[in-house]
Amino acid sequence: MKDAEAGVVCAEEGSAGLARLNRPKALNALTFAMIERLEAFLHACAVNPRIYGLVLEAEGKAFCAGGDIRAIRDMATNAPEEANRFYAAEYQHNWSLACFGKPHVALIDGAVMGGGVGVSLYGSHRVAGENFRFAMPETGIGFVPDVGGSWFLPRLPGKIGLYLALTGAVCDRADAHALGLATHCVPREGFAAIRAAMVEGQPADTVLNALHEPPGSSALEALREPIDRLFAAPSLEDLLRGLEREYGPWRDFALATLDTLSARSPLALHLTFELHRRAATFASLKDALTLEYRVATRLIRHADFAEGVRAAVIDKDRSPKWTHASIGAVDADLVASFFAPLPAGDVPLAHH
C-alpha cells in the first residue's frame, strides 16, 4: 500500500525520519493501516544508523482527533476479531514509541485527542503550536481513555488526571505545558525550522529550547484546589455527592462538572474510575496497556459504545441513550467482568 493510501506519508531525509499524518478531512483519525505504517517506520528509523531522530506532524487543522471510531464501530459489529487486531496494533505502537531510543519530535497544532495522544505522547518531545487542544473525551462515546491513559493521567499532578479522564475536559497549550503533556511551545510557523534542524541532525533539545515561547498561565492550574479535593473521593458515587454538596466559590465549577458527567456513559465512568484505581499497581506503561486491552476489546462490543459513536459521528444528534440511567444503576459485577483475564494467547504487546 502506498503511503498516501495508508493515510501516513513517511520518508527519510538527511538525518531524520519524517512522518506526516495525511487524512485531513477526517481530522487525521487513525486507521489500522496508519498504525501499521507508523509502527513499521518507527522500527526502520530505530535500526538505521543514519537516522538521528523522527519527526511526526500532520496535514490540516487537526493533529489527530483519535481513532477512526466509525470504522471501529463497524468492525466491532461485523468483524470483532478485526477490531481486536486494531487495538493490539495501536497499543503495540504506543509501547514501541515508549521504547524508541532516539529523539521523537511530535509537532502538534490543533486537536490531539485519544489515539492521537498515543502516537505522540510517548516520544521524547511534544511541541505545542498556538492552536493546540488536548483531550481524552472517550467517556462521551461510551468508551474509556486508553492508549495508556490509565498510566499517564494518574501520574499528572494531584487529581487532574482523573478529572480529565472522567470529564474529557480540553487542555490548551498552557495547561499542557504546565502538566508536562507538552515539552515545548512553538508557533506553528516555527515547525518548518524544527523539521529542517532535525534533517540536519542538530540536537533536538538545543533547537527546541531556543524556539520555545512561554505559553502563559494555565487556567487548569487555577482549578487545582477543588479538583484535588473533590476528585480524591474514594468512589464514583462519593465524587458525585461531593460535587452536589459543594458550596462557596467553587459551586459553579462543581455544577458544571456535574452537568458534564451526567451526559457521559455511566458504565464508561465506572470503568474509567476503576482503571485509575488500579493504576497505582502498574509497574509500567506496558501493564496499563495490557489491562486497557481487556477493557477496550470488551467495551467495543457493548451497546454503549455503539450508541456513543452513533450520537457523536453518525447521526450527530449528541443525545446518546445509555444502557444505564445513572451511575448507581451500574452493577459492580458488570464492571469487574471487563477486567477479567482474556483467553490464553490473546496478548496485545510484544517484548522490546
Side-chain angles (χ1 to χ4, degrees):
M1 180 183 289
K2 295 179 181 178
D3 277 359
E5 294 172 357
V8 183
V9 178
C10 300
E12 294 179 4
E13 184 177 341
S15 296
L18 304 176
R20 179 182 290 269
L21 306 179
N22 194 35
R23 292 185 73 212
K25 291 182 180 179
L27 304 181
N28 296 312
L30 296 171
T31 64
F32 190 56
M34 291 170 73
I35 292 166
E36 287 192 312
R37 186 69 188 99
L38 287 170
E39 177 75 356
F41 189 60
L42 187 76
H43 283 276
C45 290
V47 300
N48 187 339
R50 297 189 304 276
I51 296 299
Y52 161 69
L54 196 155
V55 178
L56 176 64
E57 50 191 328
E59 192 69 33
K61 294 182 178 180
F63 178 78
C64 177
D68 189 336
I69 55 174
R70 184 193 293 258
I72 296 167
R73 181 183 190 264
D74 290 344
M75 281 190 285
T77 302
N78 303 311
E81 294 308 310
E82 280 296 306
N84 286 12
R85 281 190 280 274
F86 173 90
Y87 283 104
E90 182 177 31
Y91 296 175
Q92 177 61 59
H93 183 63
N94 303 151
W95 178 237
S96 295
L97 179 55
C99 296
F100 187 60
K102 298 180 179 182
H104 180 283
V105 180
L107 304 178
I108 306 170
D109 199 45
V112 55
M113 300 181 180
V117 176
V119 300
S120 57
L121 183 70
Y122 304 115
S124 57
H125 302 81
R126 285 88 59 194
V127 183
E130 59 269 36
N131 301 304
F132 176 101
R133 294 292 182 272
F134 165 101
M136 297 295 285
E138 289 83 357
T139 59
I141 57 163
F143 199 61
V144 294
D146 62 332
V147 297
S150 64
W151 173 256
F152 72 82
L153 288 169
R155 286 159 178 80
L156 296 180
K159 293 296 179 179
I160 284 181
L162 183 59
Y163 168 74
L164 295 177
L166 293 174
T167 65
V170 177
C171 296
D172 64 15
R173 67 175 184 167
D175 297 326
H177 188 257
L179 294 172
L181 296 168
T183 59
H184 297 81
C185 297
V186 178
R188 187 179 185 127
E189 65 181 18
F191 285 6
I194 297 170
R195 185 189 321 115
M198 290 288 288
V199 168
E200 294 172 4
Q202 297 180 26
D205 285 327
T206 302
V207 172
L208 294 174
N209 289 344
L211 292 172
H212 171 71
E213 297 180 358
S217 61
S218 162
L220 193 56
E221 280 287 302
L223 295 172
R224 279 290 302 279
E225 192 281 324
I227 288 174
D228 288 355
R229 175 167 47 82
L230 293 165
F231 282 76
S235 71
L236 189 58
E237 292 84 351
D238 287 331
L239 195 164
L240 294 190
R241 277 193 290 270
L243 290 168
E244 291 168 353
R245 295 169 180 170
E246 181 71 11
Y247 285 94
W250 301 114
R251 176 66 171 165
D252 289 346
F253 166 76
L255 291 177
T257 303
L258 269 175
D259 284 346
T260 297
L261 294 177
S262 69
R264 303 296 190 251
S265 157
L267 175 60
L269 292 176
H270 271 286
L271 292 172
T272 298
F273 193 92
E274 179 63 12
L275 274 168
H276 277 242
R277 189 189 70 78
R278 296 184 181 220
T281 67
F282 296 157
S284 70
L285 169 64
K286 187 174 183 179
D287 286 352
L289 290 167
T290 300
L291 189 59
E292 287 174 7
Y293 179 77
R294 296 183 191 180
V295 177
T297 53
R298 288 169 169 138
L299 192 50
I300 57 172
R301 291 161 166 78
H302 191 275
D304 270 15
F305 177 72
E307 174 64 5
V309 175
R310 179 206 65 76
V313 300
I314 297 175
D315 297 337
K316 298 181 180 179
D317 58 28
R318 303 288 172 179
S319 299
K321 303 297 186 290
W322 304 121
T323 305
H324 302 90
S326 67
I327 64 158
V330 181
D331 184 73
D333 289 340
L334 174 63
V335 174
S337 70
F338 283 85
F339 294 88
L342 292 168
D346 193 357
V347 179
L349 303 181
H351 292 284
H352 279 278

